[in-house]
Amino acid sequence: MLPLYLLTFAAAVQAHNQLLPGSCNFESSTCEYTSDADFASWNLHKDGHFVAVDTVDGAGEKPQGGTTGVLLSPALEQSEWSCLRLVYQITGSGSLEVLQRSEGRSFDRPLWSSQAPSDSWVISSMDLQNNTEPYRVVIEGKPGGSPGSSVAVFEIHISPGFCLECDFEESHLCGYSNQWNANVNWYVGGGGAQLLSNGVLDDHTFKNRTGHLMYVDSIYAKTFKEVAKLVSPMTTVPMSGCLSFQYQRSTERGNLFSVFTRDRLGQYQELWRPELEEQSEWSGTLGEWIPVQVDLKAPYSVQVVFEVAFNSPRGGRVAVDDISFSSEFCSSDTEPTFDPSIASCDFESGFCSYTQDQVTGSSWRRVSVKPNIFRNGDHTTGAGSFLLAHSRLNPRSGYVSRLTGPTLPGNMKYCLRFYFSLREITPPTAGFNQTDQALAVYLQQSGGSQEKIWSQGEKSRGIWIAADVTFHTSQPAKVVFVSTCRSFWDCGSVALDDMSVKLGDCELPATAAAGTLSSPLPGHCDFEAGLCGYTQDKHTDAADWERRRGSTPTSYTGPRGDHTAGLGYYLYLEASPMLSGQSARLLSRPLRGSRESQCLSFYYHMYGSGIGQLSVHLDKGGEDVLLWQQSGEQSIAWLRARVEYQSDSLHQLVFEATRGPSVRSDIAIDDIILEGGPCPEMEIQATVGTSNEIE
């Protein structure tokens, strides 16, 4: 039997006058929601007031179109922020995903997903940003293969405002939840009921006893520092602004009241606690509601946690009501959310915001290497610029090269990512025998002190390796890259490229800033977790693309590492078992047509004396259009390709690699990105050379 608060959910929502188009309780109809005919149907269960997609249909057969059901909302137009709350259940096994579809876009934007089964209905919340163009909500349900598995949706509730906001008048509590404690917990108060010992007479919303609020009481506290936590839904988009709420509190010496943010890793950051002057207003009983406004900066997904700790059963009570949020900061003096992109640089057009330390008498040089079969190029394009600290280029036998980044504000956590490469020089005995001194990263505080936050440990040479560094600074600081060489014989060269800084921990999912998914963004694939929906062509090719890390089995052909991180995965054509002229074809999933141009970007590796051909095609229902092609040996480096195309009908992208005349014909691809809109200005194709020319 369903809990009472879920049975009354529909009635409460129906009575609420703030529902927006796209809301539906599926009581008697689907409210213009329709099933995509290319997939399994969502069925309206009139007796249970919900729609579901099941492993088998009513006749016991697997539904046509497979077991994936796609439910489409009517076209929606909402110029202001709104909150979508979904009441759903995954029975047995399966997954549920919510996406946003805009007209003319080949990909849907992920909003939220879940694979967790449950024994009852579950509520999830997701913010919908203000949108100037019509869109549809896409709900994709995939029941698992086990018998009896199903995915069901009971309620879709779209209301104006942000998902953090709540007056607790509706039974779903806006997705807020109590983190269960054996002795002290948050409860719903008000509603005209007489609550024992809570001392709360009127809620804040309606100023009477019929309204609702959340409260916690110490009466059942048994141990020192019993903690009760009221937790908001997880934000699903970057947010910054003013968080407001009302609270009442009694017995100031018996409890501690604080508000935190909590990220997906479970890490807390204090947002607010009462000031000392407020404490003088407290008394032994609850009285007037006290308003609070605090600035919230959430560039990645967080929950807001209202936490109360009690020291004893006489710790009093705390009540909270009317939580709201505004995209404007509480004070005009609040500094805007820091844009970490100022610390990002690919060195294609200079040093960006990075500066040299002239005191050491040595410097990082900005260089470029033409594509060749002996020396690696830069990480950005394979033919662009990067920074190099090199003992042979330095007039002294030993050196210290320091590169200093821009100032980063204090009291924040950052994730620094950069790519480095150790490179040997002649004579062969040289080449960073002391690898721990090859490269180190320091955090230089505004007061002059510095702390080492990363040092080189990986000894792989000749490939670009990604380094991720999480650090927190309590005061303004700068990141400093230092390469140290004691003598010519101890050192080779160390290269840097593609630095980027983001807010938050490096372990946070890459899509956490934009949603709750751990899967790659649509159109993006780095092959680290699989093929991302790409499939092998089993009908017209002679072999498959293989997923691999490290070097390929055949010497003098193929990459030594992937492009994404240097130590990750890529796809390649293994030429050894194939005949000359045979090919392998990789197909994207079907892509919707678009009136606007699309930009396909990817990295390719074509190194080997017997390299054949790599081409990209557009397959439009059997009609083949060649988009891009490259033949013969190109470089020992990963090279970037960009292809702009337009297709107004359903299509697939095809990557085709053809074996050349010998086994040294391994062709690889990595880091595919497909985005709407024209490609950025195309880089000039560099001429293939046979030497390591540094310009």
Side-chain angles (χ1 to χ4, degrees):
M1 182 176 179
L2 292 178
L4 178 62
Y5 73 92
L6 284 169
L7 290 173
T8 59
F9 179 86
V13 170
Q14 203 167 23
H16 202 282
N17 57 10
Q18 293 294 308
L19 290 183
L20 296 175
S23 301
C24 190
N25 59 15
F26 301 104
E27 185 171 351
S28 58
S29 72
T30 59
C31 313
E32 298 185 51
Y33 278 81
T34 58
S35 291
D36 190 321
D38 294 330
F39 298 89
S41 295
W42 286 81
N43 300 310
L44 178 64
H45 292 236
K46 294 183 179 179
D47 56 339
H49 307 294
F50 61 91
V51 290
V53 56
D54 303 295
T55 305
V56 296
D57 59 20
E61 302 291 336
K62 286 191 174 183
Q64 292 185 350
T67 55
T68 298
V70 176
L71 190 66
L72 302 174
S73 77
L76 305 176
E77 295 186 47
Q78 291 162 4
S79 58
E80 301 296 333
W81 281 73
S82 56
C83 176
L84 187 154
R85 292 191 178 92
L86 186 74
V87 184
Y88 70 95
Q89 183 176 5
I90 299 174
T91 303
S93 63
S95 65
L96 183 64
E97 185 171 5
V98 181
L99 308 100
Q100 191 174 30
R101 176 175 298 179
S102 297
E103 188 68 28
R105 302 285 177 87
S106 293
F107 292 100
D108 300 328
R109 185 172 73 88
L111 298 176
W112 169 90
S113 71
S114 177
Q115 297 180 348
S118 65
D119 296 328
S120 61
W121 298 100
V122 181
I123 301 173
S124 181
S125 304
M126 57 213 78
D127 288 293
L128 302 177
Q129 292 175 282
N130 46 350
N131 207 326
T132 58
E133 56 185 33
Y135 66 90
R136 296 178 188 271
V137 173
V138 180
I139 301 175
E140 186 174 295
K142 297 179 182 179
S146 57
S149 293
S150 68
V151 178
V153 173
F154 177 76
E155 184 87 35
I156 300 172
H157 175 195
I158 304 178
S159 58
F162 300 85
C163 291
L164 287 177
E165 299 180 315
C166 196
D167 58 11
F168 303 107
E169 297 305 323
E170 297 178 10
S171 54
H172 55 73
L173 303 180
C174 317
Y176 277 77
S177 61
N178 169 68
Q179 187 168 310
W180 178 255
N181 180 300
N183 299 317
V184 293
N185 292 279
W186 287 87
Y187 295 98
V188 180
Q194 180 64 39
L195 297 172
L196 180 64
S197 302
N198 70 358
V200 180
L201 297 179
D202 298 336
D203 85 321
H204 181 268
T205 311
F206 297 111
K207 307 294 189 298
N208 58 38
R209 298 187 186 185
T210 62
H212 296 84
L213 50 91
M214 298 299 295
Y215 78 99
V216 58
D217 198 315
S218 65
I219 189 172
Y220 296 113
K222 294 181 180 179
T223 62
F224 181 71
K225 278 204 171 179
E226 294 269 17
V227 177
K229 296 180 180 181
L230 178 66
V231 183
S232 78
M234 185 74 72
T235 61
T236 56
V237 293
M239 299 175 65
S240 61
C242 182
L243 177 71
S244 304
F245 62 92
Q246 303 280 337
Y247 80 96
Q248 293 188 31
R249 183 181 181 194
S250 66
T251 315
E252 69 276 14
R253 295 181 181 178
N255 61 66
L256 298 173
F257 180 33
S258 305
V259 181
F260 299 87
T261 58
R262 184 173 68 187
D263 64 22
R264 292 192 173 278
L265 300 177
Q267 298 173 343
Y268 286 77
Q269 184 172 354
E270 187 173 85
L271 194 63
W272 171 90
R273 70 170 54 196
E275 298 291 342
L276 291 176
E277 55 267 23
E278 294 180 27
Q279 298 183 17
S280 61
E281 302 176 8
W282 304 337
S283 63
T285 59
L286 294 171
E288 296 295 324
W289 288 98
I290 302 173
V292 173
Q293 289 189 326
V294 58
D295 288 322
L296 171 66
K297 297 179 180 179
Y300 46 86
S301 294
V302 298
Q303 294 170 299
V304 176
V305 181
F306 295 84
E307 181 178 291
V308 179
F310 296 107
N311 291 332
S312 72
R314 295 184 296 277
R317 296 159 295 279
V318 175
V320 171
D321 200 5
D322 289 345
I323 302 169
S324 62
F325 184 79
S326 168
S327 56
E328 300 291 331
F329 285 118
C330 308
S331 170
S332 58
D333 296 332
T334 301
E335 294 185 2
T337 303
F338 174 67
D339 181 5
S341 65
I342 67 167
S344 300
C345 192
D346 60 13
F347 304 105
E348 296 303 309
S349 302
F351 280 78
C352 306
S353 299
Y354 288 81
T355 58
Q356 300 274 16
D357 185 350
Q358 302 300 329
V359 177
T360 61
S362 181
S363 63
W364 291 83
R365 291 187 55 179
R366 180 171 163 265
V367 301
S368 63
V369 177
K370 290 182 179 179
N372 67 95
I373 61 173
F374 300 109
R375 301 295 183 191
N376 206 356
D378 80 321
H379 181 264
T380 313
T381 68
S385 298
F386 58 96
L387 297 189
L388 189 68
H390 200 315
S391 61
R392 190 176 62 176
L393 301 178
N394 194 63
R396 303 184 303 171
S397 60
Y399 66 85
V400 177
S401 297
R402 294 172 60 89
L403 182 72
T404 304
T407 300
L408 304 175
N411 197 31
M412 299 185 75
K413 182 176 288 187
Y414 296 94
C415 172
L416 167 68
R417 163 167 278 214
F418 60 93
Y419 288 83
F420 70 95
S421 176
L422 298 182
R423 299 166 180 236
E424 295 178 344
I425 64 169
T426 55
T429 56
F432 274 120
N433 296 323
Q434 304 295 328
T435 56
D436 59 330
Q437 296 182 356
L439 182 65
V441 182
Y442 292 84
L443 191 63
Q444 182 176 298
Q445 304 284 355
S446 57
S449 63
Q450 67 178 22
E451 170 193 1
K452 182 186 287 188
I453 58 175
W454 180 89
S455 60
Q456 157 62 13
E458 175 60 48
K459 294 181 172 59
S460 299
R461 301 170 189 261
I463 62 175
W464 287 102
I465 299 176
D468 291 328
V469 186
T470 298
F471 62 94
H472 182 274
T473 175
S474 59
Q475 55 182 298
K478 297 180 179 181
V479 171
V480 182
F481 294 84
V482 179
S483 179
T484 304
C485 170
R486 294 185 300 180
S487 72
F488 177 88
W489 301 102
D490 280 337
C491 306
S493 59
V494 60
L496 284 174
D497 203 4
D498 290 345
M499 299 177 183
S500 62
V501 175
K502 68 176 185 179
L503 301 177
D505 198 294
C506 292
E507 293 186 22
L508 287 170
T511 56
T516 64
L517 304 176
S518 57
S519 57
L521 292 171
H524 293 51
C525 191
D526 57 14
F527 304 110
E528 295 304 308
L531 299 186
C532 318
Y534 284 85
T535 56
Q536 310 278 0
D537 187 342
K538 299 294 186 181
H539 303 291
T540 61
D541 62 3
D544 286 343
W545 287 85
E546 297 184 25
R547 181 170 166 264
R548 188 176 179 86
R549 68 192 306 177
S551 301
T552 62
T554 309
S555 59
Y556 301 106
T557 187
R560 296 175 61 185
D562 76 324
H563 178 266
T564 313
L567 306 174
Y569 289 90
Y570 57 88
L571 288 192
Y572 86 107
L573 171 74
E574 175 53 58
S576 300
M578 301 175 65
L579 300 177
S580 178
Q582 290 184 326
S583 64
R585 287 163 55 92
L586 185 72
L587 310 178
S588 73
R589 65 175 178 81
L591 305 171
R592 292 194 308 276
S594 171
R595 295 187 300 271
E596 66 176 5
S597 297
Q598 306 289 312
C599 181
L600 169 68
S601 171
F602 63 95
Y603 286 84
Y604 65 97
H605 197 280
M606 300 176 71
Y607 164 63
S609 58
I611 287 293
Q613 177 178 282
L614 176 64
S615 56
V616 181
H617 303 259
L618 188 68
D619 186 344
K620 303 169 66 174
E623 177 188 354
D624 184 89
V625 179
L626 178 65
L627 297 179
W628 180 92
Q629 181 176 283
Q630 193 71 274
S631 301
E633 187 175 44
Q634 298 299 309
S635 175
I636 199 171
W638 285 97
L639 301 177
R640 184 174 69 185
R642 280 175 171 164
V643 184
E644 188 174 313
Y645 76 94
Q646 190 274 330
S647 176
D648 54 9
S649 60
L650 194 69
H651 61 279
Q652 287 179 287
L653 293 172
V654 183
F655 290 84
E656 182 172 8
T658 304
R659 185 197 191 269
S662 77
V663 294
R664 293 192 174 98
S665 185
D666 293 348
I667 297 173
I669 59 174
D670 201 3
D671 291 341
I672 301 173
I673 298 177
L674 180 60
E675 297 178 309
C679 291
E681 184 177 350
M682 305 293 283
E683 61 262 22
I684 299 174
Q685 291 289 334
T687 304
V688 176
T690 58
S691 64
N692 186 26
E693 299 181 39
I694 296 179
E695 302 175 336

